[in-house]
Amino acid sequence: MWRVRSRPFEVVGRSTAFLGCAALALAAASLPAFAQHRYPGETWERARGPQWSAEGLAGARAYSATIKTAAVMILQHGAVVDEWGETARKFNCHSIRKSLLNALYGIEVAAGRINLKSTLAELDIDDNEPSLTPTEKRATVLDLLKSRSGVYHPALYETPWMKATRPPRGSHPPGTFFYYNNWDFNALGTIFERQTGTKLFETFKKLIADPLGMQDYRVEDGEYFRGPDSIHPAYPFRMTARDLARFGLLYLRGGVWRGQQIVPREWVRESTKAHSDLGNGEGYGYLWWVSRNSFSARGAGGHYIWVIPSLDLVVVHRVNTDEPGNQVTEEEFRRLLSLIVAAARDASS
């Protein structure tokens, strides 16, 4: 997971600047205008023509074989440039779940069933002892989407690092401080279900998976994670790389799928814009991470949906984190991503 300090907008230790910035910029400058946008049918279409460097892609494959990569899919212009590994196997998405929830929020906010200005007090959101204070209850839905609630109550599905670095209760008023906070994300699941009167995994299937033609997603692939630390459950998804690729393409296309506006375009724009500046070109939007020239959904252990609009590109990366100890580090993934971007650059030179 991406380690963010409890001081405003500072990233722990090593730089998180995009390691492929130079390659990305060169590629974006030299690639021709985008081909007509395509979308997958029942299965994914393969890209046609020599738009990419075969040698460069082979190098990316070879490097991924030296780390714990389980699956990769590379899409450009809505078609598969290359893929390898277990792209049809369902793995835990970990924190990618938050970006999946973002889509549902966008739809329900536009429908008027969720008000971003509503406070936790107005929504009757609390937690077990020690319960929320009046100040904490002033946090709004929008504060939670930005991970800026100021509510530092224990939360479910946290890593040991998240527990160790959680700020003290009452240390920051709502809306003033970014901290990557599972309490915010889990409470958003509770708020969604209460305000819409629906269940999260069923609604995702109806509003997202079915319209996008996801090949593998089933309602049973979602699970509520409950425990004594909080009354607000986590909601992990198990999904395949090829279904997550459809989700990434949806956001690359501004929420449009085959001419239908699935998620409001303005919501996608606001969600993938940095509302918290974390330094070194990194930021956080509404349940999406934002980097230079790109945005991404990220899950612990090395799960990514990385979207680069300037290249009309989506990269999905999976790890078999069901196996204890399996992970791909930040540096490893960013090196792989740089190799993939370089393959696009090389093809256009």
Side-chain angles (χ1 to χ4, degrees):
M1 204 58 248
W2 299 83
R3 295 188 172 187
V4 180
R5 285 193 193 274
S6 297
R7 297 209 310 269
F9 315 144
E10 185 170 347
V11 179
V12 166
R14 59 188 180 271
S15 168
T16 57
F18 176 49
L19 301 181
C21 274
L24 192 156
L26 287 170
S30 56
L31 283 175
F34 298 153
Q36 183 177 2
H37 289 164
R38 297 198 293 272
Y39 293 89
E42 292 185 3
T43 59
W44 281 97
E45 178 186 352
R46 297 289 300 196
R48 297 184 296 272
Q51 286 85 8
W52 284 64
S53 163
E55 182 180 355
L57 288 172
R61 278 182 178 247
Y63 174 69
S64 74
T66 69
I67 57 178
K68 293 292 186 179
T69 298
V72 171
M73 287 191 70
I74 305 168
L75 317 177
Q76 190 174 49
H77 311 320
V80 176
V81 172
D82 203 357
E83 61 180 309
W84 59 87
E86 298 178 288
T87 59
R89 181 173 174 180
K90 296 176 183 179
F91 296 111
N92 190 340
C93 292
H94 297 280
S95 287
I96 286 177
R97 68 188 176 101
K98 299 155 190 175
S99 301
L100 302 178
L101 180 64
N102 169 278
L104 299 183
Y105 260 84
I107 294 169
E108 298 297 345
V109 167
R113 284 183 281 270
I114 298 177
N115 183 346
L116 296 182
K117 296 180 179 179
S118 295
T119 66
L120 299 180
E122 291 168 341
L123 296 172
D124 196 27
I125 295 295
D126 207 333
D127 211 327
N128 55 22
E129 295 292 338
S131 57
L132 303 192
T133 67
T135 297
E136 289 172 329
K137 289 185 179 182
R138 293 207 303 264
T140 65
V141 174
L142 185 57
D143 290 332
L144 271 63
L145 287 165
K146 296 178 180 179
S147 199
R148 297 172 68 93
S149 73
V151 178
Y152 306 128
H153 188 285
L156 298 174
Y157 222 56
E158 290 185 309
T159 64
W161 173 85
M162 295 171 78
K163 291 182 180 181
T165 58
R166 185 190 303 119
R169 294 284 293 273
S171 56
H172 301 286
T176 65
F177 184 84
F178 174 83
Y179 168 72
Y180 188 74
N181 190 357
N182 262 19
W183 193 92
D184 292 8
F185 308 134
N186 296 343
L188 283 169
T190 299
I191 292 168
F192 178 86
E193 294 194 340
R194 288 186 184 179
Q195 293 303 109
T196 64
T198 65
K199 303 300 288 183
L200 194 156
F201 302 116
E202 287 86 342
T203 306
F204 183 83
K205 184 176 188 301
K206 177 182 178 181
L207 299 183
I208 303 296
D210 288 350
L212 270 56
M214 288 186 175
Q215 296 167 255
D216 308 303
Y217 177 76
R218 302 293 182 269
V219 170
E220 297 76 20
D221 297 329
E223 178 185 9
Y224 295 100
F225 182 89
R226 305 180 190 275
D229 284 339
S230 173
I231 66 172
H232 303 293
Y235 40 90
F237 288 71
R238 296 185 67 84
M239 294 180 67
T240 64
R242 62 189 185 183
D243 278 354
L244 290 178
R246 291 178 187 249
F247 188 76
L249 182 60
L250 173 69
Y251 270 69
L252 176 64
R253 296 285 181 261
V256 173
W257 195 263
R258 294 188 174 275
Q260 181 182 357
Q261 194 75 50
I262 304 297
V263 180
R265 184 178 296 275
E266 181 63 17
W267 179 263
V268 173
R269 189 187 73 81
E270 284 297 311
S271 297
T272 57
K273 179 175 71 175
H275 296 279
S276 295
D277 181 1
L278 310 183
N280 296 312
E282 292 281 331
Y284 199 73
Y286 302 168
L287 308 181
W288 283 87
W289 295 90
V290 183
S291 302
R292 295 188 184 103
N293 304 307
S294 62
F295 57 90
S296 54
R298 309 177 185 179
H303 298 270
Y304 298 90
I305 307 172
W306 205 286
V307 181
I308 307 176
S310 62
L311 301 181
D312 206 32
L313 180 68
V314 176
V315 177
V316 176
H317 182 267
R318 309 305 306 281
V319 177
N320 182 8
T321 44
D322 295 331
E323 292 292 331
N326 270 7
Q327 68 167 340
V328 168
T329 67
E330 172 188 341
E331 288 90 349
E332 289 171 337
F333 171 73
R334 286 177 183 270
R335 181 179 175 188
L336 176 60
L337 184 61
S338 294
L339 291 169
I340 291 169
V341 169
R345 181 197 64 196
D346 291 345
S348 62
S349 59

